[in-house]
Amino acid sequence: MFADRVLSGMRPTGSLHLGHYHGVLKNWVVMQQEFECLFFVADWHALTTHYDTPQIIEQNVWDMVIDWLAAGVDPARATLFIQSRVPEHAELHLLLSMITPLGWLERVPTYKDQQEKLSDKDLGTYGFLGYPLLQSADILIYRATHVPVGEDQVPHIEFTREIARRFNHIYGREPGFEEKAEAAVKKLGSKKARLYAELRARFQEQGDDAALESAKSLLDEQQSLSMGDRERLFGYLEGGGKMILSEPEAMLTAASKMPGLDGQKMSKSYNNTITLREDEASVTKKIRTMPTDPARVRRTDPGTPEKCPVWPLHQVYSSEDTKQWVQRGCTTAGIGCLECKQPVIDAVLEEQKPMRERAQQYLDDPTLVRNIIADGCEKARRLAGETMRDVREAMGLSYS
Ligand code: TRP
Ligand code: SF4
C-alpha cells in the first residue's frame, strides 16, 4: 500500500569499526541504490542506557555520521538525520504509550537480557522499559516497510508490528467505517468493484492469501482513489479498520562474521577492533602484533592456519592464491608470520583508503556534515508530520 521505504537507526556508541562496515554499512550502501532510505542516529536510545554520561553523546554522533559518509552512505540518495531533532518521534512514542500494555514491554527479551548484562547500571527506569516502544515510534512514524537489523533486534520489529496492529484496531474504526468502505468500493468502477469484493470474500471466507495479494495489487494500481479511501479499502480487505500505521518487516542483516584481532568476533567490548578510519601506522602495528598459532615459537616451527587468528582475516581479505600461499607457507614453515600478515595489512589499508579520503573533506569542513544533517532532519520532519496528522486525528487531537 505504501511504497517501499527502508529505515534503520544506530545508537551513537563511539567510533565504528570494520565489523560495522562489513556487517551493516556495506549493506546500507547497497540498499540506498535500490530503495528510498532513511538512516538516523538514535541518540535518545543511547540515553536510555547512558543517561549518566551525556557529555559523550554529541561527539559520538558527529563521529558516527562521518563514519557513515566515509563508508559510502550517500546523502544525495539517503536521508540522514538525528532522532532528537525530529521531536515528532517523542510525540508518537507518548501517544503509543497510551495503548501499550506493560506486559508486552516486560516480555521483550532484550529488557531482562540487557539489565543482566549491564548490571552495574540501574536500568529499572521508565525510559529503558520503553526502549522498544520508542523504536516502534521511530519506525511507524515513517511508515517504513523494511527495517534492516541484526538478529537481536527482530523481537523489537515483531513488537512494532503488534503495536501497529493494535493501533489500527483501536483507532482505525472510524464511525461509519463499513458504509464509507462500501462507498469507496463503488468508486472503483463496477468491474473492479466486483473483483475487489470477490477477492475480499475469498480471503475472508477461505483464508486465500493469493486473493489478498491480488486485491492489494489491484488497489496499488488505482491512481484516482483518495488517500483516505485507499486506507479504508486496505483495512476493509483484512477485516480490520482503516490502516493508519503500517506493519514493517525486518530485513535481517547477516550476523557480522568479521573476525577481530584475537580470533573472536570483532567487538568493542572485546577490545579487538580496527576502527573504520584508523590511521595506517596503528592498523599496521595492530596486525603485526596479533597473536598467531602458538605452535610457531620459532620461525622454523611449522604451524596450522586453522589455529591462528590471522587466518580468518585472510578468509575475508585474501584471494584463493594468497590463501594457498598461506596454507603451504605456514604448514611447511616456508613463510614467517610477519610475511603472512602483510597481505592482510595491505588489504585493510586498501579498503580504508577511500574511507579516509571521503572523511577528510568532512573533517576539514564540519559545516558540510551539519548541513547534511540539517537537510535530513527537515526532510524527516516533513515525512513524520504526515503520519502525525493522521495519528492525531485518529486519537481525537486534531482540533480543526
Ligand atoms: N535498537 C537499535 C539497535 O540497538 C537501534 C534503533 C533505534 C533502531 N531505533 C531503530 C534500529 C529503528 C532500526 C529501526 O541496534
Ligand atoms: Fe598464522 Fe600465518 Fe603465522 Fe601461520 S604463518 S601462524 S597463518 S600468521
Side-chain angles (χ1 to χ4, degrees):
M1 153 165 177
F2 299 104
D4 279 345
R5 182 180 281 164
V6 171
L7 170 116
S8 200
M10 223 188 256
R11 281 169 300 144
T13 49
S15 293
L16 300 187
H17 52 66
L18 292 177
H20 295 109
Y21 178 65
H22 286 269
V24 181
L25 295 174
K26 267 197 333 201
N27 185 239
W28 285 13
V29 170
V30 172
M31 269 179 317
Q32 72 184 1
Q33 322 277 357
E34 294 172 35
F35 302 104
E36 179 188 359
C37 286
L38 298 155
F39 300 127
F40 73 97
V41 182
D43 55 346
W44 281 332
H45 277 105
L47 279 176
T48 63
T49 50
H50 292 66
Y51 52 80
D52 52 355
T53 48
Q55 62 284 359
I56 62 166
I57 292 200
E58 178 160 12
Q59 195 53 47
N60 282 349
V61 167
W62 297 122
D63 286 347
M64 188 163 83
V65 174
I66 294 178
D67 281 340
W68 292 358
L69 296 165
V73 174
D74 179 357
R77 291 182 173 275
T79 302
L80 309 182
F81 65 98
I82 296 171
Q83 183 186 39
S84 67
R85 294 264 215 99
V86 186
E88 286 81 358
H89 289 225
E91 184 186 354
L92 184 57
H93 177 220
L94 174 82
L95 293 178
L96 294 176
S97 78
M98 307 302 171
I99 60 158
T100 304
L102 275 180
W104 289 17
L105 286 167
E106 287 158 352
R107 270 199 304 276
V108 174
T110 45
Y111 181 57
K112 290 252 152 50
D113 291 355
Q114 289 292 95
Q115 279 187 336
E116 280 164 25
K117 213 171 129 200
L118 306 175
S119 56
D120 55 324
K121 266 195 197 128
D122 178 8
L123 293 183
T125 57
Y126 183 48
F128 186 68
L129 178 66
Y131 185 114
L133 189 64
L134 179 58
Q135 185 164 353
S136 301
D138 297 339
I139 298 168
L140 297 173
I141 205 162
Y142 300 105
R143 295 177 164 137
T145 55
H146 295 89
V147 185
V149 284
E151 186 104 56
D152 62 314
Q153 296 289 310
V154 172
H156 292 177
I157 309 304
E158 202 40 57
F159 173 85
T160 301
R161 295 168 62 90
E162 280 163 18
I163 294 291
R165 238 174 279 149
R166 183 168 166 84
F167 185 95
N168 291 334
H169 182 76
I170 298 175
Y171 299 109
R173 293 181 181 276
E174 51 186 343
F177 175 73
E178 303 258 320
E179 293 73 23
K180 286 183 183 164
E182 281 301 336
V185 175
K186 291 216 177 76
K187 292 183 200 160
L188 292 171
S190 61
K191 228 173 108 188
K192 284 177 188 146
R194 209 172 326 119
L195 181 59
Y196 175 90
E198 197 184 298
L199 292 168
R200 176 170 176 267
R202 259 170 46 205
F203 173 67
Q204 293 198 354
E205 287 158 26
Q206 300 151 40
D208 182 343
D209 288 326
L212 177 64
E213 285 315 308
S214 310
K216 282 183 178 171
S217 39
L218 173 76
L219 293 179
D220 275 331
E221 287 156 19
Q222 305 314 307
Q223 305 293 335
S224 59
L225 279 179
S226 74
M227 197 61 180
D229 278 342
R230 254 176 114 70
E231 289 176 4
R232 275 179 206 108
L233 290 180
F234 273 99
Y236 195 45
L237 263 182
E238 301 188 56
K242 187 169 153 183
M243 266 235 287
I244 300 165
L245 298 178
S246 57
E247 292 180 39
E249 266 174 54
M251 217 179 191
L252 205 58
T253 311
S256 165
K257 286 193 223 59
M258 183 66 196
L261 293 164
D262 55 0
Q264 300 186 80
K265 158 185 143 101
M266 189 177 281
S267 159
K268 197 171 148 198
S269 51
Y270 298 146
N271 201 8
N272 64 357
T273 64
I274 295 175
T275 58
L276 213 68
R277 298 178 274 126
E278 190 152 337
D279 73 84
E280 303 203 2
S282 167
V283 172
T284 306
K285 180 161 171 231
K286 278 186 177 174
I287 299 177
R288 287 176 75 95
T289 54
M290 271 180 74
T292 58
D293 177 359
R296 292 205 74 180
V297 182
R298 282 172 299 267
R299 165 72 176 76
T300 50
D301 295 328
T304 314
E306 287 73 17
K307 291 183 182 159
C308 174
V310 180
W311 179 238
L313 287 174
H314 277 293
Q315 311 276 20
V316 175
Y317 287 106
S318 299
S319 66
E320 280 312 311
D321 281 354
T322 305
K323 284 190 274 185
Q324 277 182 23
W325 168 79
V326 171
Q327 281 290 349
R328 204 173 324 112
C330 181
T331 51
T332 61
I335 57 171
C337 289
L338 285 179
E339 219 178 319
C340 174
K341 288 169 171 177
Q342 196 56 45
V344 173
I345 295 173
D346 294 341
V348 171
L349 294 181
E350 185 66 26
E351 176 173 76
Q352 289 177 317
K353 202 167 146 217
M355 299 204 244
R356 269 191 226 96
E357 283 167 8
R358 274 192 292 258
Q360 196 56 48
Q361 52 176 322
Y362 299 114
L363 295 169
D364 292 343
D365 184 2
T367 58
L368 290 176
V369 187
R370 304 299 187 273
N371 289 341
I372 289 168
I373 292 295
D375 288 350
C377 291
E378 198 183 308
K379 168 106 186 286
R381 283 200 80 169
R382 206 166 56 234
L383 298 172
E386 290 170 14
T387 309
M388 287 316 296
R389 238 191 336 258
D390 294 348
V391 167
R392 288 186 206 113
E393 185 188 295
M395 293 183 79
L397 303 169
S398 54
Y399 307 109
S400 50

